[in-house]
Every structure is written in C-alpha cells, then in structure tokens.
Amino acid sequence: MLTSATLLGSSSGRNAGDAALISGIMDAVDRRIATPLRYEIPTVRPSYIRENYPNQTVPISMMPWSGSVKMLGFPTLRSILRTDITLIFDAILFDRSLYNPLFNFMSSLYLMLPYARKRGKRMACYNVGAGPVNTPTGRRMLRELMELMDFITVRDRDSYDILREIGVQNPRMLVAADAALNAPASDRDHARQVLQKLGLPADEEILGININAYIDTWAGPAVTPMGRERFLSVYAAALNRVLEELNVPVLFVCTQHLDVSITRDLMSRVRGKKPMALITNREHNHCDVKAVLSRLALLFGMRLHCMILSAAEHTPVVGLAYQPKNRHFFNTLELAESSMGFEEFGEDALCRHLLRGWEQRASLRKHLDRVIPLLQRKALHGAELVAALHQGEDMDQACRRVADAS
C-alpha cells in the first residue's frame, strides 16, 4: 500500500509545462487510488509548490543552503528513502552537460537511485521523454537506470524506440502519453476575462505565438547556432508578412520565465494592424495559461508543453522544433508535417509554414477532436500502474493488462 511518493523532474515553478505535468500526475494518481498520496517534490521554489496545488504536497528544498546542488543532495536522497515510491517524470533523461548537476539531472539520478534500490525502494518512470543520449557514458547510465524501474511509461513511441535501441531490456515498459494532457484548466469565462484585460477582442480569431530562448542550440550537431539577432530578424520579417495577409490579433505566450525577454524583443519588431498582447506564467499559473490557449485559433509554438497544453484544449498547433522531443510530439499527434525544423529555417519557409497552418486550422482542430481523447486516456497508464503497485498486483501482469486495454 502506498501513502507517499517523491516526484523527480523539472519542478522549478518557472515553467508552466512542468507545473502542468506535476498537476496531471498527482491528480491522475489520486483519482485512481482514491486515497490522496503525500507528494514530496524537490524544487528550487518551495513556495510555488505549496501555493499552486490542491494536492498534499511537501516541497523539498534544492537550494545550496539545504545541502543540495540542484537535485543532487541529501534532501532529495532522504525524500527518496522516506517515501513509498519515487516517480521520475518529464524529459530529464538526456546526456547534454552530463556531469554538471546544475543542468543535468540524469547523472544525479544515477548516483542516488541505485543506492535507494538496494534499500528496497520502489521507483518508476512516469510518462517520461527519453533522450537525446549521444555519448557512450550517457547511454550506459540511462540503460542502467531503466533496469532499476518497477515500470516505465514513456510519452511517445520515439522515446520507447530510443530506450530499446540503447539496450534497455526491462519488460515492464509501455507507450503512454504526456501527463500534461490531463492537467486542469481554469474555466472559459476566466480565460475570456484574461483576454479582455490584455486588450484582445473576444469575437475575433487570435493567432498565438510562442518562442524559446534556446533558439536552435538544441537542434543537433548538424545545425550551427544562428544567434539571437538573426533568429529575431528572420522570424519578425516572416511574422510581419503573415500579419499583412491575415490581419488578425496576436497573443504572444510565454510558458517559461526564461523566454520573456526574447519574446518582448520579438514583439517590438512586429507590426500588426490589430491588437497584440503578451501573457506569461510569471503572472498566470498553468491552469490560466491552458485556459487562455483554448481561446486561440492557432498556436505557432516552440516550447513543447506550450503546444501540448494547446493541443489538449483542441487548439490547432504548428511547431518549430528546437529539440527532437518536439517532433516526437507531432509524430504522436499524427501531424508530422505540422512541425518544421531549424534546417529549414528562413523567412519564406516560416511564412509558408504559418500560413499553411492557418489555412488548415479547421481540419487540424477536427483531427485533434479525434486524437486528443485517445491520448488523454493513454496518459493515464502511469496512474493505473501506480495503482497496481498500491494494490500489490504482480507488475508483469499489470503491464500486460494495461497494454491490452490501450
């Protein structure tokens, strides 16, 4: 029987997508088990965890004065040893800057979880994204971590293939979907009020724009980073051409504090005849952001969870992939052609991509009406397997049962 869980992932309180993931996981598990768990969540922002969730949360400080270097430290380790199960979530299983615990959490997991496993602690991967892992050491670390898990649910087929390709043999691995698909949203009336306060009309179609301060630095070894100035210059020129043709209001959306500065810079370069506004997760929590995204006619996004939160509300999305995980999501949506990469980046290509998305927005919404409910059900696989552990079910049998039902 489970009474408590440690959630290990990105939980800074600065990213609305990560906040939605945490919410989606806790809500799904609590509903399935029917008895709320106590969730210990290592974080650099304890106040955010305390104030933004109705669940039973206990923030665990990852600040230096608590004896931590981000996730790596005694507070996190003690939490892992204290709770009944540790759930790894989000996309922290990559090997970039592998030995820097300020940036990379996988090496921290590699130091702590084997010890906890020897102490008999349960652990699982809950709807994770895997990769990129490009180094022999990173691949070995990830493979060995996955073999420790009581079960693994991944959020897309590409992540499943990556884990099998690096040699993961764990038989209790299933393809699920992203937990944020089931995150709650504020009601539509509140979303309308937010848009009105931002000065956007409630009776017109609105184009959403979301960019990422990382630009193309994660796009792969074949891509030479273009730098902020060239990115903004090309993007603004393309967006100005699109707005000249469409003449629609624009909502710029930031779901990560890091992106506010570059988004304001882009806004200063855009000329539109209709109103423009900015919404950020500095002023609004993930529930509000998700609700506002439901009011858009189309989102052109870069941040993965900005697009996931939009799609969850059946808002049409097209993307610019700054990481492989973005393409993985569009593959999951069966909309691979709706994502473009930085190898195609240019004013004409951006303009064509965005205008094509706008022209297809009705058919994209209809497609999401069919696909999203299916993915939302798959996103509950992780909660079903946590419940199986809670009830003492044989996990090999439980994984087969969940796989057969999907």
Side-chain angles (χ1 to χ4, degrees):
M1 181 175 176
L2 305 178
T3 62
S4 58
T6 297
L7 301 186
L8 295 182
S10 298
S11 51
S12 67
R14 300 188 181 102
N15 187 314
D18 297 337
L21 276 174
I22 294 170
S23 185
I25 292 168
M26 294 191 297
D27 289 352
V29 170
D30 284 350
R31 279 195 301 267
R32 181 60 186 83
I33 291 180
T35 301
L37 298 186
R38 184 185 81 253
Y39 297 95
E40 299 193 6
I41 306 174
T43 178
V44 296
R45 199 177 171 197
S47 62
Y48 188 89
I49 300 298
R50 279 193 297 267
E51 296 166 6
N52 284 276
Y53 300 101
N55 316 79
Q56 296 182 23
T57 59
V58 180
I60 304 298
S61 177
M62 296 197 307
M63 298 305 288
W65 48 83
S66 69
S68 294
V69 182
K70 277 294 190 65
M71 187 179 288
L72 181 61
F74 287 111
T76 299
L77 180 59
R78 283 195 294 266
S79 177
I80 293 169
L81 297 175
R82 181 168 53 240
T83 59
D84 296 323
I85 187 170
T86 294
L87 299 177
I88 300 163
F89 70 96
D90 203 11
I92 63 173
L93 303 175
F94 58 84
D95 63 356
R96 185 175 182 178
S97 302
L98 183 60
Y99 299 110
N100 179 1
L102 295 173
F103 181 80
N104 186 294
F105 290 164
M106 188 168 76
S107 54
S108 299
L109 296 176
Y110 189 76
L111 290 173
M112 295 184 291
L113 292 186
Y115 174 74
R117 192 66 186 181
K118 288 178 182 177
R119 296 281 298 270
K121 303 307 295 185
R122 290 170 171 166
M123 54 194 66
C125 286
Y126 192 113
N127 298 13
V128 295
V133 279
N134 299 313
T135 66
T137 301
R139 292 162 70 90
R140 175 179 58 80
M141 279 188 182
L142 180 53
R143 181 172 61 249
E144 293 178 9
L145 281 170
M146 294 302 97
E147 302 300 358
L148 299 175
M149 299 295 128
D150 288 284
F151 70 81
I152 304 163
T153 55
V154 293
R155 66 187 180 192
D156 49 60
R157 171 59 63 173
D158 296 274
S159 293
Y160 182 96
D161 292 342
I162 288 169
L163 293 179
R164 289 303 188 208
E165 188 272 328
I166 66 171
V168 174
Q169 299 296 314
N170 193 325
R172 298 176 300 279
M173 181 161 68
L174 301 177
V175 178
D178 196 280
L181 287 165
N182 289 316
S186 302
D187 63 63
R188 294 180 71 85
D189 284 341
H190 181 68
R192 189 182 305 110
Q193 292 170 11
V194 171
L195 288 175
Q196 288 175 347
K197 289 180 180 178
L198 292 171
L200 294 179
D203 58 347
E204 293 187 49
E205 290 189 301
I206 299 170
L207 172 65
I209 297 293
N210 164 256
I211 61 172
N212 186 328
Y214 288 133
I215 308 177
D216 60 345
T217 56
W218 278 84
V223 176
T224 301
M226 69 181 66
R228 176 172 171 142
E229 181 55 37
R230 178 168 176 257
F231 170 77
L232 288 171
S233 176
V234 172
Y235 197 115
L239 185 53
N240 281 325
R241 285 171 55 184
V242 168
L243 294 178
E244 183 68 27
E245 182 167 336
L246 300 183
N247 191 28
V248 293
V250 182
L251 179 64
F252 293 84
V253 183
C254 288
T255 56
Q256 159 61 268
H257 292 191
L258 182 68
D259 300 336
V260 174
S261 173
I262 193 171
T263 301
R264 290 191 184 281
D265 200 346
L266 175 62
M267 290 180 69
S268 71
R269 302 169 187 233
V270 174
R271 303 179 305 276
K273 298 176 183 177
K274 293 293 182 74
M276 296 189 302
L278 170 66
I279 183 171
T280 86
N281 68 317
R282 285 181 175 173
E283 297 83 23
H284 299 274
N285 67 17
H286 57 282
C287 300
D288 288 352
V289 172
K290 189 168 186 269
V292 169
L293 289 168
S294 74
R295 306 285 299 181
L296 301 180
L298 177 76
L299 175 79
F300 182 29
M302 286 180 65
R303 283 278 176 188
L304 174 63
H305 278 96
C306 188
M307 294 183 285
I308 288 175
L309 294 177
S310 293
E313 294 296 312
H314 300 220
T315 294
V317 291
V318 293
L320 174 60
Y322 84 101
Q323 268 209 61
K325 64 183 182 181
N326 295 48
R327 288 201 184 276
H328 298 171
F329 176 58
F330 279 94
N331 291 341
T332 298
L333 291 178
E334 303 170 14
L335 290 172
E337 69 282 356
S338 292
S339 176
M340 67 177 287
F342 271 96
E343 67 277 5
E344 311 166 64
F345 188 83
E347 182 181 330
D348 289 342
L350 279 171
C351 192
R352 285 194 302 271
H353 187 61
L354 188 42
L355 287 173
R356 184 168 60 247
W358 186 265
E359 291 165 3
Q360 296 175 350
R361 64 194 184 282
S363 62
L364 289 172
R365 188 180 293 274
K366 186 175 180 180
H367 179 80
L368 293 176
D369 288 344
R370 177 181 66 84
V371 172
I372 290 301
L374 301 175
L375 293 177
Q376 287 173 325
R377 288 196 290 273
K378 289 186 73 172
L380 298 176
H381 286 355
E384 186 65 32
L385 293 175
V386 172
L389 274 173
H390 175 71
Q391 295 160 0
E393 185 177 352
D394 177 82
M395 289 311 295
D396 291 317
Q397 178 181 319
C399 287
R400 288 193 296 270
R401 172 175 58 79
V402 173
D404 290 344
S406 64

